[in-house]
Amino acid sequence: MTQMEVDPTTALDMAGLARAWGTGSSAESLELLDALAARADELIPLAFEQGDEAAELEAQRFLYEVFAHRILPPWSPHWRDYEHPTIVEAHRKVGDAWLAKDRATYGAGLEVPTSPKGFGEWAVEVCENHASGVTHPLFDFLAEKATYDQLVTFQAQETPFDIHFGDLVALLLPGIHGGRKIELSHNFWDEMGNGTLERTHRQLRLDMMTRVGIPGEAYLTDVDSYWVEELRMANMYFQTSSLRSLAPQSVGMLQATELVVPGRLDRQIEGWRRVGLTDKDMVYLLEHVVVDVEHAEGWLNHVIAPLAEERPDMLLEVGIGIMRRLDCALAVCDRAHRELASEQ
Ligand SMILES: [Fe+2]
Ligand SMILES: [Fe+2]
């Protein structure tokens, strides 16, 4: 290597190392994989024990890069082979370290009611009173003050989680049967537009993105453009719906989503109307104001209540899922408010 050339194994971050893997000779590929494994070990204590923000950003980018590409089929033009054991292991290690940190934060001292009715009431109350709800100053800002471009920025930032929602529900489906399968399938079928392609939630979101000028593939091609808080949000759902041991957390996260989304969307719709969008331009948002209220109720009665009946010992995990999700949403709101309101 000449002095002018840059050694990719030291110049690239984890996501960059993963992307570069497999593009050069096999000797170079092995070096990249070694560098990736070493970087994971270096990054983990920095990101999840010492509170190093740059390290966490790098870790969340890597987690998302792999999650978002690994669910693609190989015929996708965006597909990347992230199934090499070294990549899988580094990804799992980073994810586990993050989970251990969140478990320590949310699990210790969390007490949840263990009867179906008690837990349901607790979940609704915690979600309704959380600071990430519609009372967060972000939502007044979006409804009353944000410019068109600022609404676009917020909508673009929300893509990594939103665009994957149907797939995240689908990831949760295997091995779950009975009434819970029906409720999950009901939610999934709504995501699938009840069988009408143009009404699938993914398509509705892509249509709105096209209408307001958000590139439709940026969530795969421009991972570095997202705030760490938004990557955390997507990664949290990918993590808990891909690992079966974390299914109870995923159930909690989905419950929280369905409970909090409608009110927050109302304010965004107000904002979009103010800057000139018509209802036809934002079917995606309008649709969720209606269906998520039904989903929240169905989820509580047909997924969480039977689980509480059968395995009350799992409810702490469901509770951790709810708390992780709510606090993650709060971090998103704080970041968005900080970024956008300060521009004015
Ligand atoms: Fe949806
Ligand atoms: Fe929903």
Side-chain angles (χ1 to χ4, degrees), residues 162 165-166 169 187-188 190-192 199-202 204 258 284 287-288 291-292 295:
D162 278 8
F165 193 82
V169 173
N187 200 316
F188 181 68
D190 279 346
E191 286 298 314
M192 292 303 102
R199 296 288 302 185
T200 58
H201 291 186
R202 180 185 162 84
L204 293 177
E258 308 289 8
Y284 175 75
E287 168 90 4
H288 285 91
V291 294
D292 282 351
H295 292 164

Side-chain angles (χ1 to χ4, degrees), residues 87-99:
I87 296 180
V88 171
E89 196 191 324
H91 192 255
R92 181 65 192 262
K93 261 189 178 174
V94 172
D96 282 355
W98 175 36
L99 178 67

Side-chain angles (χ1 to χ4, degrees), residues 130-145:
H130 195 263
S132 64
V134 68
T135 53
H136 191 284
L138 172 69
F139 298 102
D140 277 348
F141 175 79
L142 293 175
E144 293 157 20
K145 293 202 185 102

Side-chain angles (χ1 to χ4, degrees), residues 205-267:
R205 197 177 202 281
L206 287 169
D207 290 347
M208 179 164 177
M209 286 161 69
T210 306
R211 166 67 182 85
V212 301
I214 300 169
E217 293 181 339
Y219 73 98
L220 292 169
T221 57
D222 199 9
V223 171
D224 292 356
S225 66
Y226 296 102
W227 299 330
V228 68
E229 294 83 357
E230 295 283 6
L231 295 175
R232 256 188 230 145
M233 181 69 92
N235 288 335
M236 190 171 272
Y237 281 86
F238 268 120
Q239 178 185 53
T240 57
S241 49
S242 342
L243 294 173
R244 303 314 282 162
S245 56
L246 297 179
Q249 278 198 32
S250 178
V251 162
M253 286 179 188
L254 288 163
Q255 178 69 64
T257 304
E258 308 289 8
L259 276 169
V260 301
V261 161
R264 295 163 38 122
L265 283 182
D266 283 330
R267 304 301 325 264

Side-chain angles (χ1 to χ4, degrees), residues 285-300:
L285 300 179
L286 293 164
E287 168 90 4
H288 285 91
V289 171
V290 181
V291 294
D292 282 351
V293 174
E294 292 166 25
H295 292 164
E297 226 180 270
W299 203 256
L300 207 52

